Amino acid sequence: DVKVTQSSRYLVKRTGEKVFLECVQDMDHENMFWYRQDPGLGLRLIYFSYDVKMKEKGDIPEGYSVSREKKERFSLILESASTNQTSMYLCASSSSGRLMGNEQFFGPGTRLTVL
Amino acid sequence: AQTVTQSQPEMSVQEAETVTLSCTYDTSENNYYLFWYKQPPSRQMILVIRQEAYKQQNATENRFSVNFQKAAKSFSLKISDSQLGDTAMYFCAFHGGSQGNLIFGKGTKLSVKP
């Protein structure tokens, strides 16, 4: 089975802190994604990556950055956390580059609270 | 830009009955995929069903089926013989064109009542 894991299920941070959210997948997938999920807003894409060391901005990249040094790992970084970044963060991965129709496999999510 | 609309924020259904969740989308693409994902309470999001726009036949996965109306840009999910384990958030998603990522609707919270 494809497995996508995220480093924390729950995280509490203070305003201004630098926050790292880690995601690891074990199926050699090329594509990895970071979404945030908020009630009434669905899932919104923050950043995605098609390959190691490459990244592309999604719909809401402001206040975030990402790192993909290894194929299996995709990190989301909040450079200076703010209260409006309190949310559920979901990582996902999928195979085969830019081909359409490939299933995305999701991690369990990290619920981040910024105080 | 592509958009996905789910007009029913919440729905409920009695166990063993049938329920239909609505989804409409907007695109100028000819080839694309549509998905329904399920997110049970406190559990991971999983794929329920997938439909390619070029296929005429509606996709079916056990108790889950879709009604894909390409001209109307409608993609509804029918759940037959609803079970308590079907209680979840359901997200409709679009994948097409030059985008590598999915476009999600805002979700429908489905409650199955005993």
Side-chain angles (χ1 to χ4, degrees), chain B residues 12-74:
Chain B
S12 65
V13 63
Q14 292 296 131
E15 199 175 5
E17 293 187 349
T18 295
V19 64
T20 299
L21 280 58
S22 301
C23 174
T24 58
Y25 59 95
D26 190 23
T27 184
S28 58
E29 301 290 340
N30 284 319
N31 191 22
Y32 49 88
Y33 283 78
L34 295 161
F35 302 80
W36 279 98
Y37 279 86
K38 169 185 177 182
Q39 186 181 39
S42 302
R43 294 179 61 188
Q44 282 169 252
M45 185 107 65
I46 57 172
L47 178 66
V48 175
I49 200 164
R50 167 176 34 201
Q51 174 83 40
E52 183 177 1
Y54 270 114
K55 290 190 176 176
Q56 301 278 359
Q57 189 171 4
N58 288 325
T60 300
E61 290 286 344
N62 300 312
R63 298 181 296 106
F64 298 87
S65 61
V66 298
N67 183 4
F68 174 48
Q69 302 288 330
K70 191 173 183 179
K73 295 180 181 172
S74 170

Side-chain angles (χ1 to χ4, degrees), chain A residues 65-83:
Chain A
S65 62
V66 290
S67 173
R68 192 161 180 205
E69 297 296 319
K70 293 184 178 182
K71 191 175 186 179
E72 67 270 18
R73 188 181 298 270
F74 192 36
S75 303
L76 180 69
I77 304 155
L78 286 66
E79 296 290 342
S80 177
S82 64
T83 55

Side-chain angles (χ1 to χ4, degrees), chain A residues 4 9-10 31 33 35 37 40-43 45 48 50 59 90 98-109, chain B residues 31-33 35 37 39 42-47 50 89 91 95-107:
Chain A
V4 180
R9 288 300 301 271
Y10 300 94
N31 304 329
F33 307 85
Y35 297 92
Q37 182 180 6
L41 296 179
L43 275 73
L45 182 67
F48 58 106
Y50 289 125
D59 298 320
L90 296 178
R98 291 176 183 260
L99 290 180
M100 283 191 289
N102 294 322
E103 177 181 355
Q104 287 192 16
F105 295 86
F106 285 82
Chain B
N31 191 22
Y32 49 88
Y33 283 78
F35 302 80
Y37 279 86
Q39 186 181 39
S42 302
R43 294 179 61 188
Q44 282 169 252
M45 185 107 65
I46 57 172
L47 178 66
R50 167 176 34 201
M89 283 290 291
F91 292 96
H95 191 194
S98 59
Q99 297 171 188
N101 55 292
L102 293 173
I103 307 296
F104 285 88
K106 294 182 178 181

Side-chain angles (χ1 to χ4, degrees), chain A residues 20-32:
Chain A
F20 292 86
L21 302 183
E22 305 285 342
C23 175
V24 177
Q25 50 92 6
D26 66 358
M27 286 300 292
D28 202 34
H29 283 170
E30 291 82 4
N31 304 329
M32 295 189 75

